[in-house]
Amino acid sequence: MAELLLLLAIISIWIAVIESAVIMLGAIRFVFRQSKKELVIPANMESYPTVTVLVPAHNEELVISATVEHILQLNYPVEKLQVIVIADNCTDRTAEMVRAVHARPEFAQHHLQVMERTGTGGKSGALNDALRLATGEWLCIYDADAAPEKNALAFLMQKAMEQPERYGAVFGRNKARNRDQNFLTQCINLELVTMHRVYHTGLWELFQLGSIPGTNFIVKRSLIEEVGGWDEESLTEDTAISFEILKRGQLIALAPRAEAYQQEPEKLGVYIKQRKRWAMGNYQSIFGNITHLFDGTSWRIKLKLLYYAASYFWFMVAIIVSDIIFVTNLVYKIISLFHPEVVSPFQFAEDIYVYLVVAWALMYYLYVLQINLALASDIGQSTTRNFVLSCLSYFTYAQLFIIISVQAFFGLLMDKVTRRKRKWYKTQRFT
């Protein structure tokens, strides 16, 4: 039985290696094609639709002023732009600070509204309440810590206008604004760059498959209204709404030049709480949509489900099983040096160990390779320090994913058993 488990773990790891290699090839092709395209910043936007920018903010006085400044400086026709900042159950000066920024003479022409809200539902509830006030044909979502580049919205809409009937949403690229703060933020930066430069680009290039992030994206208002707004029970409203968009035959397109900076957790405890919520929300989405693997829905939905299920279940379990067997055998080997009569409970043929070591080595090589491929395609990121970090992060930062995923799975399971309602966790901000 143990040998069968190890064999399944090895096969799973090899499948993960192949998946990474395929996505990486897609990313290389995307980057190669993008390099041949001339950068065209939209100039004449008379035909572009109206946009409502929604900014949910709960006690965000540390970062909200800078965020509102960046949004009001976006390169988009003022007469086509509506900005709604949702001061969601705030007990600080968030609303006051937003109004102070809007009162500046250079922003006098902007249509900005502060909505002070006392409802429930977390970020989803805030967005749903603000939806009733939105007048734009498209909605643009920025988190309260976002710093969109001046042309971010223009690039998002430029992509949407390529196929307005087919694209239901368009997402851009998020970058860490505090990436040099400490070891944790440096590793998060590597993850962000890899996710946006390899996984998002590879999946879009190969399958035209995209996923809405929590910030820096646009979506048709009519589409949001059709699906009934954001799911207030979901811990990751972005993943939930992505599935709803795909179910309606619309694509979520990638606009890689639409960039925005965001603040990342600077403390391990804050990071774990944030990522645990993300993992639990993704588990919710997997469980809630698993039946679509066997019905007549789009193949993109099935592929997206398989991708999430593989990442959070299959590959994770395979790595845990192989790690347990490897560590157990190592401990027994050490003990047997002093007590030869002690025998490990896991006895395998030598060939299986060879396959396991080769699979691990290749997985590590591809892990480092894809990070450095992403870094090489991003100006200023391909440095000696980041290369060293990419080599070290597999044994440190990447292992947190396993711990957090296991915690999230059993946490969600206990919530189901005890009928406990999980509170939406807002990421702590830093000055």
Side-chain angles (χ1 to χ4, degrees):
M1 181 62 181
E3 190 161 317
L4 178 61
L5 282 176
L6 182 58
L7 186 60
L8 289 174
I10 293 171
I11 293 172
S12 300
I13 291 172
W14 272 104
I15 292 174
V17 166
I18 294 170
E19 176 198 277
S20 296
V22 169
I23 292 175
M24 192 161 56
L25 289 173
I28 292 171
R29 183 184 173 196
F30 180 90
V31 171
F32 181 74
R33 290 200 307 112
Q34 282 291 119
S35 65
K36 291 186 174 183
K37 291 183 179 179
E38 182 182 357
L39 175 62
V40 179
I41 300 174
N44 183 1
M45 290 183 272
E46 291 182 6
S47 62
Y48 279 22
T50 55
V51 178
T52 296
V53 179
L54 300 178
V55 186
H58 172 64
N59 290 340
E60 300 283 9
E61 64 179 7
L62 291 178
V63 294
I64 195 64
S65 293
T67 297
V68 173
E69 287 177 13
H70 279 89
I71 290 172
L72 295 181
Q73 291 169 351
L74 286 169
N75 176 27
Y76 206 81
V78 174
E79 67 277 7
K80 294 177 179 284
L81 199 63
Q82 175 195 26
V83 180
I84 302 176
V85 178
I86 311 121
D88 181 25
N89 292 281
C90 291
T91 56
D92 64 357
R93 298 171 57 241
T94 295
E96 177 186 339
M97 298 178 76
V98 173
R99 293 189 178 101
V101 173
H102 189 216
R104 297 179 191 173
E106 64 267 32
F107 301 135
Q109 300 301 315
H110 285 75
H111 180 192
L112 184 148
Q113 179 178 352
V114 180
M115 176 185 175
E116 297 192 60
R117 174 183 183 271
T118 57
T120 59
K123 180 179 177 181
S124 294
L127 290 171
N128 286 333
D129 285 352
L131 182 61
R132 303 185 187 103
L133 303 177
T135 59
E137 299 169 71
W138 287 74
L139 305 174
C140 177
I141 313 300
Y142 283 114
D143 281 344
D145 65 326
E149 186 269 331
K150 184 177 180 180
N151 294 302
L153 179 55
F155 283 134
L156 288 170
M157 194 56 66
Q158 182 185 57
K159 185 65 179 182
M161 291 299 96
E162 288 181 8
Q163 299 188 54
E165 299 302 320
R166 198 176 183 210
Y167 295 161
V170 182
F171 68 103
R173 179 176 172 234
N174 298 317
K175 306 173 77 172
R177 65 197 294 183
N178 57 334
R179 69 189 188 194
D180 294 323
Q181 192 67 28
N182 54 40
F183 179 76
L184 177 61
T185 59
Q186 290 168 4
C187 288
I188 294 174
N189 172 62
L190 295 185
E191 179 190 10
L192 273 178
V193 174
T194 305
M195 183 60 64
H196 286 278
R197 291 290 192 181
V198 175
Y199 283 92
H200 285 172
T201 56
L203 290 172
W204 177 251
E205 178 69 21
L206 296 174
F207 311 109
Q208 288 196 304
L209 183 64
S211 184
I212 287 178
T215 183
N216 192 29
F217 70 91
I218 59 173
V219 60
K220 293 175 182 174
R221 179 164 62 93
S222 60
L223 193 55
I224 293 295
E225 291 171 342
E226 181 183 337
V227 304
W230 282 268
D231 184 356
E232 297 184 21
E233 298 298 319
S234 176
L235 293 171
T236 48
E237 78 296 331
D238 46 359
T239 305
I241 208 72
S242 294
F243 277 105
E244 293 300 323
I245 290 172
L246 291 175
K247 288 176 189 177
R248 283 155 179 79
Q250 297 277 281
L251 296 182
I252 303 169
L254 171 63
R257 291 192 172 101
E259 297 182 342
Y261 288 85
Q262 61 189 33
Q263 189 183 79
E264 298 300 335
E266 297 179 3
K267 295 180 180 179
L268 185 59
V270 176
Y271 169 84
I272 290 175
K273 288 180 180 178
Q274 181 199 63
R275 297 308 173 96
K276 185 177 178 180
R277 174 176 66 82
W278 289 4
M280 292 180 76
N282 287 330
Y283 282 133
Q284 283 180 335
S285 294
I286 294 170
F287 294 142
N289 292 280
I290 196 69
T291 56
H292 294 311
L293 285 176
F294 314 103
D295 61 20
T297 52
S298 165
W299 62 268
R300 287 189 176 88
I301 295 175
K302 302 182 195 304
L303 182 60
K304 189 176 183 67
L305 273 168
L306 287 172
Y307 177 74
Y308 276 115
S311 299
Y312 284 93
F313 286 106
W314 186 8
F315 298 153
M316 181 189 70
V317 171
I319 292 172
I320 290 174
V321 169
S322 60
D323 282 351
I324 290 173
I325 293 173
F326 181 82
V327 171
T328 301
N329 274 352
L330 182 63
V331 170
Y332 271 88
K333 283 282 186 183
I334 295 173
I335 294 174
S336 66
L337 294 176
F338 305 95
H339 301 279
E341 71 278 6
V342 175
V343 179
S344 170
F346 303 115
Q347 297 292 322
F348 307 113
E350 192 69 28
D351 288 348
I352 293 182
Y353 281 120
V354 173
Y355 283 126
L356 179 60
V357 171
V358 171
W360 269 337
L362 188 54
M363 185 168 62
Y364 175 70
Y365 173 75
L366 283 178
Y367 174 87
V368 175
L369 179 62
Q370 67 186 5
I371 290 177
N372 284 278
L373 170 66
L375 294 173
S377 65
D378 196 358
I379 297 174
Q381 293 273 21
S382 187
T383 63
T384 302
R385 184 190 69 177
N386 279 343
F387 173 75
V388 174
L389 275 173
S390 70
C391 296
L392 295 176
S393 65
Y394 179 85
F395 303 101
T396 53
Y397 178 78
Q399 300 308 311
L400 285 174
F401 176 78
I402 298 175
I403 298 171
I404 292 169
S405 296
V406 171
Q407 287 182 345
F409 178 79
F410 285 105
L412 190 62
L413 193 62
M414 290 304 299
D415 288 351
K416 294 290 184 183
V417 172
T418 62
R419 299 183 183 277
R420 177 178 58 189
K421 187 174 181 180
R422 180 73 56 167
K423 184 179 179 181
W424 202 93
Y425 172 73
K426 185 191 86 70
T427 304
Q428 181 183 342
R429 308 299 185 200
F430 300 91
T431 55

